[in-house]
Amino acid sequence: MAGNHVTVGQEEDGAGCRVVWGDGYDMVHYGHSNQLRQAKAMGDYLIVGVHTDEEISKHKGPPVFTQAERYKMVQAIKWVDEIVEGAPYVTTLDTLDKYNSDFCVHGDDITLTVDGKDTYAEVKREGRYRECRRTQGVSTTDLVGRMLLMTKTHHSNIVTNLSLPLSGHSPWTGVSQFLQTSQKIIQFASGQEAQPGDTIIYVAGAFDLFHIGHVDFLETVYKQAERPYVIVGLHFDQEVNRYKGKNYPIMNIHERTLSVLACRYVSEVVIGAPYAVGKDLLDHFKVDLVCHGKTEVFPDRDTADPYAEPKKRGIFRTVDSGNGLTTDDIVQRIIKNRLQFEARNQKKEAKEIAVFEAMKRQAEGERAGDTAQAAQ
């Protein structure tokens, strides 16, 4: 929700404050988080406009999350200072001025209205637009496609073609394998170590398709102590598939790592945490409290309780966030509206292909003109 807006040029720690505007988000994922991380780095204060369900349905198709869910999910991203609920789909100078924003930032993919127009045309003309690099290998369209396909290739060792897009495919929504790098993890990580007096809280799980149910749970965990240091243990893909089955996880371990690191309630992530929360792990991280939500605890491979050790130590706590939403519920939303989502993906790609081809023709025309001029 919008708070007190920063005035452009106001002093903050003795420096002029540059206010950045970012907007969008029909389904909040780590690609959006990475965009917001880059946007925040361009200024001092980041305001994010989040569209209503009505606006997204009109221009893109049915949103995966409700507007109330998306407002809270964007607010939970650690680089966001403020959100504006019900932001217009087309970003205008009036919007930037209303929220005292110097400029707006968007990824280097294109966002189009229902009639195929660039939503940032006006602010681009006036030089109040900045671009950041889109995260290769993820898009809402891709994630929806994974859920509809119900295959496991998205978390197997199959290597997909990462070359330029095939003719007839959108370069912005085509599926490609996300490649994790150490630099990306460093960019997302807090870099903060636990300090004396912090309460070290450990939670573990899949945290697949990071959603509002996870956000509410982690916020509840964060509130268990005055000075919390929350460590999230993420299970490897094979482990998640063992206890969840079907085509889970929808997001592979690398994607889930960034999704969780982007959350403001999380201090550290253990990548490929052991399923059983044992003595070695608790001692290594000096864990004070282990939390689990109201969801089912699946037994370990040997049928043992994975939380036996923290229970024995008296440091296990079941917390109730009041939100029972699960990853399965999200997938069911997609499947229930399968035809709508399939149509959404096809329509979005068709619009993008048309724009991409037009941009290619324009670039070729400009090159031909330059060649002709040079020949004179």
Side-chain angles (χ1 to χ4, degrees):
M1 41 217 76
N4 295 321
H5 306 302
V6 172
T7 304
V8 175
Q10 82 176 40
E11 296 298 304
E12 190 176 270
D13 297 326
C17 183
R18 289 175 69 76
V19 183
V20 184
W21 172 274
D23 56 19
Y25 320 113
D26 53 339
M27 178 180 176
V28 187
H29 54 67
Y30 67 92
H32 296 136
S33 299
N34 192 36
Q35 179 187 326
L36 293 172
R37 178 191 65 77
Q38 294 176 76
K40 179 65 182 279
M42 295 181 191
D44 305 290
Y45 190 87
L46 177 61
I47 303 173
V48 181
V50 186
H51 310 315
T52 62
D53 293 345
E54 186 183 0
E55 281 277 83
I56 289 173
S57 296
K58 177 184 170 186
H59 294 282
K60 297 181 90 167
V64 177
F65 297 112
T66 68
Q67 62 197 45
E69 290 170 341
R70 289 181 288 106
Y71 296 152
K72 195 160 185 184
M73 286 174 71
V74 173
Q75 189 70 70
I77 295 170
K78 62 186 177 185
W79 299 285
V80 175
D81 294 301
E82 178 185 335
I83 72 160
V84 172
E85 298 179 1
Y89 196 78
V90 175
T91 305
T92 63
L93 294 172
D94 285 346
T95 299
L96 295 189
D97 292 341
K98 181 179 178 182
Y99 295 102
N100 300 318
S101 300
D102 294 273
F103 55 86
C104 77
V105 177
H106 189 67
D108 54 6
D109 55 333
I110 196 155
T111 304
L112 305 170
T113 62
V114 67
D115 50 2
K117 291 182 180 151
D118 182 353
T119 58
Y120 295 100
E122 183 180 319
V123 291
K124 282 178 180 177
R125 275 197 307 272
E126 298 301 318
R128 288 174 70 180
Y129 176 85
R130 304 283 186 279
E131 213 161 71
C132 61
R133 292 185 64 184
R134 183 181 170 277
T135 307
Q136 291 300 318
V138 66
S139 67
T140 300
T141 310
D142 168 29
L143 291 172
V144 167
R146 292 185 204 180
M147 288 181 258
L148 291 175
L149 283 171
M150 297 300 284
T151 65
K152 297 183 185 180
T153 54
H154 52 270
H155 62 81
S156 72
N157 293 321
I158 292 172
V159 177
T160 54
N161 181 12
L162 293 168
S163 59
L164 289 170
L166 298 169
S167 178
H169 285 76
S170 167
W172 298 297
T173 60
V175 178
S176 65
Q177 188 104 341
F178 171 70
L179 297 177
Q180 183 70 286
T181 63
S182 56
Q183 182 63 25
K184 187 65 68 210
I185 294 174
I186 290 165
Q187 288 168 344
F188 271 60
S190 70
Q192 301 295 315
E193 293 185 359
Q195 300 300 311
D198 287 353
T199 299
I200 299 172
I201 308 173
Y202 182 79
V203 300
F207 292 89
D208 192 17
L209 277 181
F210 196 74
H211 54 71
I212 188 64
H214 298 133
V215 169
D216 284 342
F217 167 68
L218 290 169
E219 183 182 16
T220 305
V221 167
Y222 186 84
K223 289 176 177 175
Q224 298 301 302
E226 200 171 309
R227 286 179 48 186
Y229 187 90
V230 178
I231 302 174
V232 176
L234 286 179
H235 302 139
F236 276 132
D237 299 336
Q238 293 84 350
E239 190 70 69
V240 174
N241 191 249
R242 176 187 71 81
Y243 63 82
K244 293 275 286 182
K246 299 180 189 171
N247 63 328
Y248 292 116
I250 304 294
M251 284 182 166
N252 66 39
I253 184 69
H254 306 304
E255 298 175 302
R256 292 184 286 119
T257 297
L258 295 187
S259 300
V260 174
L261 279 174
C263 180
R264 65 172 71 248
Y265 306 117
V266 175
S267 303
E268 182 64 288
V269 168
V270 180
I271 304 167
Y275 189 68
V277 182
K279 180 181 184 301
D280 291 347
L281 185 145
L282 296 174
D283 292 345
H284 178 82
F285 291 109
K286 300 180 174 61
V287 175
D288 299 301
L289 182 64
V290 175
C291 292
H292 187 80
K294 304 288 276 187
T295 55
E296 182 185 356
V297 177
F298 296 95
D300 205 349
R301 291 173 193 269
D302 60 1
T303 72
D305 178 358
Y307 292 107
E309 181 64 23
K311 284 176 181 176
K312 191 172 88 176
R313 296 187 183 196
I315 60 169
F316 180 80
R317 187 180 297 173
T318 301
V319 298
D320 185 2
S321 67
N323 187 338
L325 190 76
T326 66
T327 301
D328 217 27
D329 295 331
I330 303 298
V331 174
Q332 289 310 312
R333 287 183 188 182
I334 301 287
I335 292 170
K336 185 181 168 192
N337 298 303
R338 184 185 185 107
L339 294 176
Q340 274 183 290
F341 278 108
E342 284 177 341
R344 169 200 188 282
N345 283 11
Q346 288 164 6
K347 190 169 76 173
K348 184 170 187 286
E349 185 151 23
K351 276 200 299 186
E352 288 177 352
I353 290 166
V355 171
F356 182 65
E357 293 298 331
M359 286 165 65
K360 205 162 73 171
R361 284 195 299 274
Q362 185 181 354
E364 285 166 358
E366 285 170 1
R367 277 199 300 273
D370 291 344
T371 305
Q373 200 170 7
Q376 287 174 0

